[in-house]
Amino acid sequence: MTIARKLQDYIDGAGVAYDTVDHHRTATTSQTARAAHVPGSRLAKSVVVHHEMGYVLAVVPSTHRVELSTLQDVMDRRLGLASEEEVCNLFADCDIGAVPPVGSAYDLPVLLDESLGDVSDVYFEGGDHRTLVHMSGANFRNLMQGAQIARFSHPA
């Protein structure tokens, strides 16, 4: 597998320039950053949360952890982490745990941590545990148009 089909179709349809970075299979985002030789602060990590009305994709740097209570305050909703089964259903063309942060490709709203707001380039999972998508920070922010931006994470 390389890039998940929905993700690739969405990025290509948006006309956004990107490249891919192959690496050996990893299990965590910190391992991925090391394997791909990229700064963890520029590797966007996706966390799927649910609430009574549906799902939201929370996107933070891989070096950070989502503060669920702060995220709940930002959204003014009670939130919980989505189950593995829920994530598999939402991202059927992706491997478990390799969720891309481009929620629009999967009809999911996105909350983007403001710490990713000014990075010069961004890397993120392409849908498997062996491929990262890399693009300029400006292109990433264009893909994130419509995302709510807030501070809801802290360094791990």
Side-chain angles (χ1 to χ4, degrees), residues 15-36:
V16 171
Y18 67 93
D19 59 357
T20 59
V21 177
D22 296 329
H23 59 86
H24 67 271
R25 183 171 177 77
T26 57
T28 67
T29 54
S30 60
Q31 289 174 355
T32 299
R34 282 192 301 274

Side-chain angles (χ1 to χ4, degrees), residues 38-144:
V38 301
S41 61
R42 293 184 183 174
L43 176 59
K45 172 174 71 174
S46 304
V47 179
V48 183
V49 295
H50 63 84
H51 55 80
E52 67 276 2
M53 303 295 288
Y55 299 93
V56 174
L57 201 55
V59 180
V60 300
S62 70
T63 54
H64 287 210
R65 289 184 170 235
V66 172
E67 295 172 1
L68 199 55
S69 61
T70 303
L71 191 56
Q72 287 181 143
D73 292 343
V74 167
M75 291 195 61
D76 195 27
R77 294 186 186 278
R78 187 167 183 184
L79 302 173
L81 295 176
S83 70
E84 191 173 283
E85 181 180 347
E86 290 171 305
V87 174
C88 286
N89 289 333
L90 292 168
F91 295 88
D93 64 343
C94 298
D95 289 350
I96 295 169
V99 173
V102 186
S104 298
Y106 295 87
D107 297 319
L108 288 175
V110 174
L111 281 161
L112 181 63
D113 193 80
E114 64 185 26
S115 59
L116 285 168
D118 61 353
V119 292
S120 59
D121 58 342
V122 177
Y123 299 82
F124 56 86
E125 292 285 0
D128 65 12
H129 293 281
R130 296 176 187 265
T131 309
L132 291 179
V133 175
H134 169 244
M135 62 182 56
S136 71
N139 281 345
F140 179 73
R141 288 183 287 282
N142 284 338
L143 284 180
M144 297 290 114

